[in-house]
């Protein structure tokens, strides 16, 4: 059951994320439209935390699963992409529900604040603090949702390696690398450290977390190292990247006699 849910999230990440954001918005709207003194005003805020907790639990489960040793062929863009990670989408969905929760709590606090006497500074301070916290949580959640919607992860193209992170993109042309650029790694490594032969060719857009590491939290790191090594050794085969024939050739080579990049 859980495997089927995670597979569905991976296949339709934008549908899942869009649905979660829409549901969170509907709950906030229903909360704001309910009468201030009604039971509904205080009952609705109990729903988003439960939904958010469920999304976050599924995200943790997704993180414990073995990352795929495979690419997705994007013929339209002419690249091999790391598979869409369900944990990023589920984290963003959880953030949407948690934002809805803090907004509702802040609204309820402001409603109660109007009934407090002016000489109750502690009550007024708590209400204002909750409002500031709600604004901060919403901003952070919007950034996380935008990153998940945009898509994150590594991709290989005829021109090089690209790592799309939550805040920025790192582009490493093939000419910036050599076969000595890849250190030993393991399948479960969360990043792949690169040694550049031409660091001046590396380009960063936005705010990537680092310029020397490719994040591998969405793909088997050893598989990625094998693939990069293959195209460094065989530059004439880079034009096949992004095609079904090129992917079939890559998988045949890697699973037939992959280069020895694993730790001893």
């Amino acid at each position: 059951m859980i495997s089927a849910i995670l597979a569905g999230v991976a296949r339709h990440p934008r549908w899942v994320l869009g649905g979660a954001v829409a549901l969170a918005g509907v709950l906030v709207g229903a909360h704001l439209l309910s009468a201030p003194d009604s039971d509904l005003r205080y009952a609705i805020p109990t729903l988003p935390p439960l939904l958010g907790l469920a999304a976050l639990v599924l995200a943790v489960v997704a993180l414990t699963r073995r990352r795929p040793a495979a690419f997705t062929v994007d013929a339209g863009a002419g690249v091999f992409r790391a598979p869409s990670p369900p944990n990023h989408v589920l984290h963003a969905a959880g953030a949407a529900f948690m934002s809805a929760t803090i907004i509702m709590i802040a609204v309820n606090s402001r409603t109660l604040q109007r009934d407090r006497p002016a000489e109750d500074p502690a009550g007024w301070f708590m209400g204002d603090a909750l409002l500031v916290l709600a604004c901060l949580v919403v901003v952070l959640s919007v950034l996380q949702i935008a990153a998940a919607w945009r898509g994150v992860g590594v991709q290989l193209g005829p021109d090089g390696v690209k790592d799309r992170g939550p805040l920025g993109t790192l582009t490493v042309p093939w000419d910036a690398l050599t076969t000595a650029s890849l250190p030993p790694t393991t399948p479960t490594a969360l990043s792949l450290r690169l040694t550049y032969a031409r660091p001046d060719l590396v380009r960063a857009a936005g705010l990537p977390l680092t310029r020397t590491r490719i994040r591998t939290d969405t793909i088997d790191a050893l598989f990625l190292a094998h693939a990069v090594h293959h195209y460094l050794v065989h530059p004439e085969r880079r034009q096949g990247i992004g095609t079904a024939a090129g992917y079939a050739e890559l998988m045949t080579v890697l699973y037939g006699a992959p280069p020895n990049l694993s730790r001893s």
Side-chain angles (χ1 to χ4, degrees):
M1 179 64 179
I2 292 180
S3 296
I5 293 175
L6 295 178
V9 173
R11 283 195 302 270
H12 308 288
R14 289 191 171 181
W15 281 101
V16 173
L17 183 57
V21 172
L23 179 56
V26 168
L27 290 173
V28 170
H31 175 261
L32 294 176
L33 292 174
S34 60
D37 56 349
S38 67
D39 293 337
L40 189 62
R41 172 64 70 97
Y42 296 95
I44 292 178
T46 63
L47 295 177
L50 297 176
L51 295 172
L53 180 61
L56 294 177
V57 167
L58 286 173
V60 172
V61 173
L63 283 173
T64 64
R65 300 295 177 95
R66 182 176 179 178
R67 298 193 294 275
F71 288 116
T72 297
V73 179
D74 188 340
V79 298
F80 295 151
R81 298 185 186 276
S84 179
N87 57 295
H88 286 270
V89 175
L90 291 167
H91 272 134
F97 289 123
M98 293 307 175
S99 293
T101 301
I102 192 66
I103 290 173
M104 295 178 191
I105 293 174
V107 169
N108 287 349
S109 176
R110 297 293 289 186
T111 301
L112 293 174
Q113 192 176 36
R114 288 195 295 267
D115 299 328
R116 292 191 181 102
E119 59 271 13
D120 181 12
W124 284 86
F125 174 79
M126 287 298 297
D128 293 340
L130 277 173
L131 183 60
V132 172
L133 178 61
C135 293
L136 179 60
V137 170
V138 169
V139 169
L140 294 176
S141 297
V142 168
L143 292 175
Q144 188 171 1
I145 292 168
W149 185 272
R150 168 177 172 265
V152 297
V154 66
Q155 64 184 45
L156 303 187
D159 298 329
V161 183
K162 182 177 291 186
D163 181 22
R164 302 182 68 180
L167 300 178
T169 301
L170 183 69
T171 302
V172 182
W174 293 114
D175 290 341
L177 301 170
T178 68
T179 54
S181 296
L182 299 170
T185 189
T186 62
T188 58
L190 295 177
S191 64
L192 189 64
R193 180 171 55 84
L194 302 178
T195 301
Y196 300 131
R198 292 283 309 277
D200 57 297
L201 298 178
V202 179
R203 303 187 303 276
L207 297 172
L209 298 179
T210 175
R211 292 177 61 95
T212 59
R213 287 184 177 272
I214 298 295
R215 297 185 319 124
T216 56
D217 58 339
T218 64
I219 193 170
D220 184 299
L222 185 58
F223 168 78
L224 176 62
H226 287 164
V228 172
H229 185 275
H230 171 68
Y231 289 116
L232 288 174
V233 173
H234 302 285
E236 72 280 1
R237 297 178 180 174
R238 295 172 190 166
Q239 293 307 312
I241 296 176
T243 66
Y247 187 59
E249 180 270 335
L250 173 66
M251 298 301 282
T252 299
V253 170
L254 295 191
Y255 286 109
N260 184 19
L261 293 174
S262 60
R263 292 187 188 276
S264 58

